Amino acid sequence: MAVEAEAVTTPDLALADTDINWDRLDKWSFHMIGAVLFTVQQGLLHPTAVVKTRMQVADSGLSHMPGFRVFSHILKSDGIPGLYRGFGTSAIGSFPGRVLHLTSLEISKDLMMKYTEGLDMPEATRVGIANGVAGMMANLVSCAYFVPLDVICQRLMVQGLPGSTYCNGPLDITRKVIKAEGFRGLYRGFGLTVLTQSPASALWWGAYGAAQHIIWRSLGYRDDTDKKPSHMEMVTVQATAGMLAGACSSVITSPIDTVKTRLQVIDDYGIGRPSVLKTTKALLEEDGWRGFYRGFGPRFLNMSLYGTTMIVTYELIKRLSVKKE
């Protein structure tokens, strides 16, 4: 009876379920379930992105307010819709890019795990490298789609602020940007994004993969044992690894993100087309070096929460999308 009771209470999860590879996934279910769950997650975190963007761009008092006061200011002046400026465009527009990003990520990770198999290195290092390279490749592939979407969404977020151009919706923004600068206007900050976010993505996914591997091993789990983690253990370990990866990435990438955001949305410098150098110089003149950490609080919160919720959501999607055997 004791054996039967133990069999009933044993979680039906193997350690292999913490890292489900591309071949085991039903691709249609993976992308459809992902579209729904990631949109919900995006909706929960979108207000922090709006607060962060306004703090980075505004040359009014907003840039020097604490994040919670900027949040209150937006809520008071624009209501709930003000905290969700650009959300519809971002949510709908992100779907094709997300399919591209996740497909590239999983295929690259599988290839790297195969190529590094048998190499003389610790397993945590091998997992970290495979995840890091996959993260960098996925970012490189998806940047061509996401940068124009980012330009449009961020311009929606800062409507009415000094230096921004008023536009009536995403299509109007696209039309005005193309009319003023051609298609290259939609790719403002593209080089900066690729040069910074690709290493940042590699850092995030590498840190997550290595951290998760180390945590599982420190808890006594191995691939060759019958010990299985519970659902709660799995979620806790993956959330912790995601939070650590997101926090580290936000600290390192915040200055570049501030420059990129201003470069993508500010038109009125009075000195010709904005550039990385002009934007950096303007920030230094306004606030000195601390200007590069405008919006750091909301960004730190956004990336930490994003890292936690994104990876828990992502791993859940993979578990729900495993092919039926």
Side-chain angles (χ1 to χ4, degrees):
M1 292 294 292
V3 173
E4 291 178 0
E6 183 179 356
V8 171
T9 57
T10 300
D12 190 22
L13 285 173
L15 193 58
D17 289 315
T18 66
D19 191 15
I20 301 168
N21 63 35
W22 183 245
D23 292 336
R24 294 175 59 195
L25 294 175
D26 180 315
K27 281 46 171 199
W28 175 258
S29 297
F30 178 63
H31 290 305
M32 290 302 103
I33 297 172
V36 175
L37 294 185
F38 274 128
T39 299
V40 173
Q41 182 231 9
Q42 187 178 358
L44 293 174
L45 296 180
H46 190 80
T48 64
V50 174
V51 172
K52 181 268 300 181
T53 300
R54 287 193 160 223
M55 289 178 70
Q56 288 177 332
V57 172
D59 56 7
S60 63
L62 286 179
S63 60
H64 299 99
M65 288 182 184
F68 72 91
R69 288 188 61 191
V70 176
F71 178 90
S72 298
H73 175 83
I74 297 172
L75 196 59
K76 184 177 180 180
S77 60
D78 299 327
I80 296 294
L83 294 170
Y84 280 89
R85 283 189 175 180
F87 175 67
T89 301
S90 177
I92 296 172
S94 291
F95 180 69
R98 193 178 290 126
V99 170
L100 185 64
H101 182 89
L102 294 180
T103 301
S104 303
L105 176 72
E106 288 298 325
I107 292 176
S108 298
K109 184 165 63 174
D110 270 11
L111 289 174
M112 284 303 300
M113 289 298 288
K114 290 175 183 177
Y115 288 149
T116 56
E117 190 173 4
L119 294 181
D120 185 18
M121 65 174 68
E123 187 65 14
T125 302
R126 176 171 169 259
V127 172
I129 290 174
N131 277 267
V133 171
M136 182 173 66
M137 292 303 298
N139 189 77
L140 286 171
V141 170
S142 60
C143 266
Y145 179 87
F146 275 117
V147 169
L149 181 65
D150 205 25
V151 169
I152 294 168
C153 291
Q154 288 184 335
R155 283 173 175 255
L156 287 171
M157 291 178 191
V158 301
Q159 288 291 286
L161 295 182
S164 63
T165 302
Y166 176 78
C167 296
N168 186 24
L171 294 179
D172 190 37
I173 289 176
T174 305
R175 183 182 62 79
K176 287 182 178 178
V177 169
I178 292 176
K179 183 178 179 180
E181 302 181 51
F183 279 100
R184 72 172 187 167
L186 294 173
Y187 281 89
R188 272 196 195 178
F190 177 77
L192 196 62
T193 301
V194 169
L195 290 174
T196 57
Q197 287 194 5
S198 294
S201 181
L203 171 66
W204 196 100
W205 282 102
Y208 169 73
Q212 185 186 194
H213 183 88
I214 291 170
I215 293 171
W216 282 125
R217 269 56 187 178
S218 69
L219 293 175
Y221 291 99
R222 299 288 187 277
D223 292 326
D224 56 353
T225 65
D226 294 329
K227 186 178 180 181
K228 297 179 180 180
S230 67
H231 284 279
M232 183 57 67
E233 282 181 305
M234 188 171 288
V235 170
T236 301
V237 169
Q238 291 172 342
T240 301
M243 181 177 65
L244 291 173
C248 291
S249 182
S250 69
V251 172
I252 295 171
T253 61
S254 279
I256 302 298
D257 184 69
T258 301
V259 174
K260 177 185 73 70
T261 300
R262 286 175 64 101
L263 180 66
Q264 289 179 334
V265 303
I266 294 294
D267 292 319
D268 187 17
Y269 278 116
I271 47 176
R273 187 175 188 270
S275 67
V276 173
L277 186 60
K278 292 174 184 176
T279 305
T280 302
K281 184 179 178 181
L283 267 172
L284 284 172
E285 289 176 350
E286 291 170 18
D287 276 333
W289 288 104
R290 71 174 185 170
F292 291 97
Y293 278 89
R294 282 184 179 181
F296 174 71
R299 177 172 165 76
F300 183 86
L301 179 64
N302 179 277
M303 291 198 67
S304 298
L305 290 176
Y306 174 80
T308 303
T309 58
M310 184 278 288
I311 205 62
V312 170
T313 302
Y314 179 62
E315 298 289 5
L316 173 62
I317 291 167
K318 290 175 71 174
R319 289 196 292 275
L320 292 175
S321 304
V322 173
K323 293 176 180 177
K324 306 296 182 184
E325 295 181 357

